[in-house]
Amino acid sequence: MGKTFAVIGDPINHSLSPNIHSAAFRELDLDSSYIAYRIPKGELEEGIEGLKKIKIDGFNITIPHKIEMMKYLDKTDESCSLIGAVNTVSNKDGILKGYNTDMDGFLEPFKKKELNITGTKVLLIGAGGAARAIVAGFAKAKAKSITIANRTLEKANNLSEFAKKLGLDANAIRIDDVKDTAKNYDIIVNATSVGLKNEQSVISLEGIDEKTVVYDIVYMPMNTDFIKKAKEKNAIVIYGYEMLLGQAVRAFEIWHNIEAPYNAMKKALLGGF
Ligand code: ATR
């Protein structure tokens, strides 16, 4: 019998996940389907009951449920319990197991492009849920140090403590205090939502060069102001869609236990722009 998958969240109508996974099913001739299912904030428990009733085989979770969903899991894998947020769930006979593929999804483009993380100095802008998975990723890949810059200093401080627990040399600053220091870092990541509405980058990239890696996790639009500024400096650019693709590939492999058709999924994703 065909398998059924979903992505849950709110808003959900612009999600690219159904396209990406459906393309993979077509490519591999799998008799599976993937739907977008809107579950508003406060209705997660009933929503999950509904998914169990239709015997969903697995689902992705996006804003605003990634943290609350932890309550409804029967099991968690290592990344999920470490990060404290879940974006992928498998359902085996009613037993829900949670994973966090954002961390490996974030790291995937570095691997693909053979870019080194070990021993690097990182500037991370943002201290929300996505930033937490990214910190865990940098710890896993053994970066040397991480400076966390956030609008709200308290959240940057909390995330900095988390980074230290994972063995990173970490400190926290306000975004406004980044000023002209971007050039002191090997890797600069925007993990805020700034750019989604075509806003200007919250930091200056003055002084960076062609060796600096600049990574924006905002994927819509593809060319954010942050990415444009990085390109002006000939920096090495990683687009938000690459992380989106990376997490989708991992989720696919968790659910289907076979290698994901990366190129077909990438093509479907880029077709969505
Ligand atoms: P996500 O799960 O996508 O990380 P989140 O947890 O709500 O979402 O985090 C959003 C991040 O974007 C936070 O770091 C937030 O900064 P605050 O902690 O100060 O709220 C940041 N952010 C959102 N809008 C911003 C803006 N206009 N300027 C600067 N930072 C902003």
Side-chain angles (χ1 to χ4, degrees), residues 63 126-131 150-152 155 175 191-194 199 202 217:
I63 289 171
N150 198 46
R151 180 176 60 182
T152 314
K155 283 170 74 183
I175 286 182
T192 71
S193 47
V194 177
E199 305 98 315
V202 286
I217 72 159

Side-chain angles (χ1 to χ4, degrees), residues 103-143:
M103 178 177 80
D104 285 332
F106 174 78
L107 294 175
E108 182 77 18
F110 287 94
K111 278 196 194 140
K112 274 239 140 49
K113 295 171 207 275
E114 298 184 357
L115 295 169
N116 169 57
I117 294 178
T118 309
T120 56
K121 290 171 71 177
V122 176
L123 173 62
L124 174 64
I125 320 289
R132 208 172 151 86
I134 291 168
V135 165
F138 279 122
K140 182 179 175 184
K142 302 218 168 353

Side-chain angles (χ1 to χ4, degrees), residues 67 70 79-86 100 102-103 106 124-140 146 148 155-163 165-166 168 189 191-192 217 243:
I67 293 171
M70 294 290 289
S79 61
C80 183
S81 38
L82 178 73
I83 297 161
V86 52
N100 191 310
D102 284 334
M103 178 177 80
F106 174 78
L124 174 64
I125 320 289
R132 208 172 151 86
I134 291 168
V135 165
F138 279 122
K140 182 179 175 184
I146 189 161
I148 299 161
K155 283 170 74 183
N157 276 323
N158 290 340
L159 192 56
S160 170
E161 289 309 310
F162 175 66
K165 271 195 214 128
L166 301 184
L168 287 167
V189 181
T192 71
I217 72 159
M243 174 173 176

Side-chain angles (χ1 to χ4, degrees), residues 215-264:
Y215 193 154
D216 199 343
I217 72 159
V218 171
Y219 61 83
M220 190 75 91
M222 192 176 343
N223 280 293
T224 57
D225 179 62
F226 183 66
I227 289 282
K228 283 182 195 158
K229 288 200 164 90
K231 282 183 174 170
E232 280 167 18
K233 303 286 178 201
N234 293 316
I236 301 161
V237 161
I238 304 179
Y239 295 96
Y241 84 79
E242 297 179 73
M243 174 173 176
L244 181 70
L245 183 60
Q247 65 77 29
V249 162
R250 295 277 165 169
F252 182 96
E253 290 174 350
I254 287 166
W255 292 329
H256 303 277
N257 252 318
I258 47 173
E259 196 185 326
Y262 181 91
N263 288 327

